[in-house]
Amino acid sequence: MSVNELSPDNDQAAIPNLKDPSLLKDQCYVDGAWAGTPDLPVTNPATGELIVKVPRFGTAETAQAIDAAHEAFASWSQMLAAERCKLVRRWYELQMEHLDDLALIMTTEQGKPLAEAKGEVAYAAGFTEFYSEEGKRAYGETIPTHRKDARIVVINQPIGVVGAITPWNFPMAMITRKVAPAISVGCTVVSKPASETPLTALALAELAHRAGIPKGVFNVIVGKSSEIGKELTTSNKVRMITFTGSTEVGRLLMEQSASTIKQVGMELGGNAPLIVFDDADLDQAVAGTMASKFRNTGQTCVCANRILVQEGVYDEFAEKLTKAVAAMKVGEGIEEGVAQGPLINQAALEKVEAHVENALKGGAKVLTGGKRHERGGTFYEPTVLTDVTTDMLFNTEETFGPMAPLQRFKTEDEAIAIANDSEYGLSAYFFARDIGRIWRVGEALEAGIIGINEGVISTPIAPFGGMKQSGIGREGSHHGIEEFLEMKYMLMGGL
Ligand code: SIN
């Protein structure tokens, strides 16, 4: 079959209005070719309709993809960095040229509003662009010698084949944030996107193909998560596992990776506190809370999950936030002006519902929302709750949905203690104007990413990653290439 056709199993499938329909793929991409029989349905979460079926790869097919990546590593890692990075740069340009189509595919399979999907494509392409430069700078070092007849140098070499396992909430950015640094420094990758959102990943593979990235360097496989994960983590040919997803799955992948002592990069769950102090600019705090809490319908690892508001501004903040939340338009991501899409699936809907019910049982009150949306399906009303307490479910579990619980506090120390009382430490936000407080709180919060008077702080040029059970390692920025490199010390004696 040619790369531009869907197989007969998918003859009814389509995403209308794609400028380049050949970006819609229904096969996996292994060793530079499209492979597999479509079987696993991918549906639109806004309508429940089937978009397309994709293959259901398992252990054997994963092993083939690993072999392809392993074989490609020999020549890709030997290529001059400048030549490799030129191809990665071309991949970036194609991502930007096809921004509208990539966004439409993403909204159709994931549900996020089209404007947010376009934002994600630009954000994701930003990683590709950044690492097409940074890949040329895997500098080593010389160390002043300890012996007159010897010299010490340290070089950085690509670690080898990388298994990249990514989630459904950011179908493109989580892939480029891992794959772009990996391939830019000379690694090869077997990428396993979430079964809910494989189509953006497969379109990225098509663009990598068109960019001239050689066969075997970037492979995309979809299917049985447990089999693919097991094969990637236990294969001796894979030298690193990079994962974004839940802490529970991350722990399992780390356990499995221990069998072959692999390098791991883990971007795991969070339970972000967002603190509004009495001296905050309240309009800024409301705008930041909206951005942090309701981005991607509350389905990000860095969404504010626990909102703490100091007593002096509590009522005013609650009123302003409620007004902004109640005004949000809920609907299918392709509709004009939609700010909130559906949740990804029924389980996600039930979790939000359970968190709201649990809070209400504990004495919380609804300021707006608080139930399933009248559109049905997996739509839930953007919700603000007041009078919440620290013993409610959302304090220990990420809600991963559009519920903003507002808790009152009195002192700075109390807010910091509540904020840090979590096994997670990915992101935290606070709003304040006093410079002394900004430093004190910024340094005291136990999180890898801190937003001060800002609700969305992700960017390709800054390090993203968590403390405690939120993960290991950092992605993005110049630090983002470190985990894909193996440091080698060489002593030259007998001089
Ligand atoms: C995530 O939710 O895992 C990523 C969010 C981001 O990159 O901002």
Side-chain angles (χ1 to χ4, degrees):
M1 183 171 40
S2 101
V3 294
N4 293 337
E5 287 171 3
L6 295 179
S7 70
D9 308 49
N10 280 318
D11 59 356
Q12 298 302 312
I15 296 181
N17 303 329
L18 283 180
K19 292 178 199 157
D20 180 350
S22 64
L23 286 177
L24 182 63
K25 296 291 175 199
D26 65 355
Q27 289 188 293
C28 296
Y29 183 69
V30 176
D31 206 16
W34 296 96
T37 308
D39 178 31
L40 185 65
V42 183
T43 54
N44 180 336
T47 60
E49 283 164 13
L50 174 75
I51 307 167
V52 87
K53 288 185 195 161
V54 294
R56 205 186 288 263
F57 273 12
T59 308
E61 297 90 345
T62 308
Q64 283 164 11
I66 294 171
D67 285 345
H70 192 249
E71 190 161 333
F73 180 72
S75 51
W76 182 247
S77 60
Q78 291 301 315
M79 217 164 155
L80 288 178
E83 285 173 18
R84 259 195 323 256
C85 287
K86 205 179 277 176
L87 298 177
V88 179
R89 169 88 201 176
R90 182 66 197 129
W91 192 30
Y92 153 71
E93 288 162 356
L94 288 170
Q95 290 168 19
M96 290 306 286
E97 278 167 32
H98 294 278
L99 186 146
D100 288 342
D101 279 351
L102 289 168
L104 187 54
I105 292 172
M106 187 187 297
T107 289
T108 310
E109 66 176 346
Q110 201 274 345
K112 66 178 67 181
L114 196 56
E116 273 194 50
K118 287 184 184 179
E120 183 184 337
V121 175
Y123 170 50
F127 287 103
T128 315
E129 181 187 32
F130 183 83
Y131 288 109
S132 72
E133 290 300 324
E134 202 58 26
K136 299 173 207 163
R137 301 183 192 118
Y139 301 135
E141 63 182 332
T142 59
I143 296 180
T145 188
H146 62 314
R147 272 180 21 204
K148 286 205 168 135
D149 69 336
R151 299 290 181 270
I152 292 173
V153 292
V154 180
I155 60 169
N156 283 317
Q157 292 179 306
I159 194 163
V161 176
V162 173
I165 305 177
T166 50
W168 49 262
N169 60 345
F170 288 89
M172 181 166 165
M174 298 304 100
I175 296 178
T176 55
R177 191 156 80 184
K178 296 172 187 308
V179 175
I183 66 173
S184 293
V185 298
C187 296
T188 55
V189 179
V190 177
S191 172
K192 194 263 171 216
S195 302
E196 291 88 345
T197 56
L199 304 178
T200 310
L202 294 171
L204 271 180
E206 168 66 12
L207 295 179
H209 188 88
R210 293 184 196 174
I213 292 176
K215 69 187 183 107
V217 171
F218 175 46
N219 306 276
V220 181
I221 59 172
V222 190
K224 302 172 196 160
S225 300
S226 56
E227 285 189 28
I228 296 174
K230 184 83 185 288
E231 188 61 22
L232 286 174
T233 48
T234 56
S235 166
N236 258 318
K237 290 181 180 161
V238 177
R239 290 315 318 146
M240 188 201 173
I241 293 292
T242 169
F243 170 69
T244 296
S246 71
T247 296
E248 190 191 350
V249 174
R251 190 174 286 117
L252 175 70
L253 295 172
M254 283 176 75
E255 278 166 18
Q256 290 175 350
S257 297
S259 65
T260 45
I261 314 290
K262 280 192 207 338
Q263 165 84 305
V264 291
M266 295 278 148
E267 298 295 346
L268 307 178
N271 192 337
L274 182 151
I275 310 171
V276 182
F277 287 102
D278 279 348
D279 61 319
D281 173 329
L282 280 198
D283 291 328
Q284 203 171 54
V286 169
T289 306
M290 294 295 292
S292 169
K293 175 67 253 184
F294 295 99
R295 177 173 171 227
N296 204 10
T297 315
Q299 302 172 109
T300 86
C301 301
V302 289
C303 275
N305 208 51
R306 300 172 289 147
I307 303 173
L308 310 171
V309 189
Q310 201 158 11
E311 55 183 2
V313 292
Y314 187 92
D315 293 336
E316 193 185 344
F317 176 81
E319 194 188 319
K320 284 181 179 238
L321 183 72
T322 303
K323 201 169 158 205
V325 173
M328 290 177 103
K329 182 173 171 191
V330 177
E332 192 173 347
I334 51 169
E335 288 167 32
E336 198 57 38
V338 160
Q340 289 285 275
L343 290 157
I344 189 73
N345 56 30
Q346 192 65 23
L349 177 74
E350 285 166 12
K351 186 168 192 197
V352 178
E353 213 163 36
H355 278 207
V356 172
E357 270 170 29
N358 169 271
L360 296 184
K361 268 195 200 127
K365 293 181 193 65
V366 174
L367 291 180
T368 185
K371 56 183 192 314
R372 291 183 186 209
H373 195 274
E374 61 190 18
R375 288 187 76 117
T378 59
F379 287 95
Y380 196 88
E381 291 179 348
T383 296
V384 181
L385 301 179
T386 184
D387 296 337
V388 303
T389 51
T390 50
D391 53 359
M392 294 170 180
L393 210 49
F394 68 85
N395 289 285
T396 44
E397 280 179 22
E398 259 179 309
T399 305
F400 235 66
M403 170 185 120
L406 307 187
Q407 186 181 347
R408 210 179 285 265
F409 71 90
K410 284 190 169 61
T411 66
E412 190 179 298
D413 285 348
E414 183 192 358
I416 292 169
I418 298 172
N420 286 343
D421 186 17
S422 170
E423 65 193 31
Y424 299 105
L426 184 57
S427 62
Y429 308 85
F430 67 96
F431 293 82
R433 302 304 310 171
D434 179 82
I435 190 72
R437 165 171 281 164
I438 286 175
W439 277 104
R440 278 193 307 277
V441 177
E443 289 179 357
L445 288 173
E446 295 168 359
I449 310 165
I450 310 276
I452 304 166
N453 298 321
E454 286 291 341
V456 175
I457 56 171
S458 308
T459 157
I461 63 171
F464 185 105
M467 297 178 176
K468 302 199 268 188
Q469 294 194 32
S470 286
I472 296 178
R474 294 293 182 269
E475 294 183 339
S477 80
H478 64 97
H479 297 288
I481 59 171
E482 284 162 15
E483 47 199 28
F484 301 105
L485 293 169
E486 194 77 86
M487 187 188 288
K488 187 182 280 176
Y489 146 56
M490 299 199 288
L491 182 132
M492 282 168 271
L495 299 186

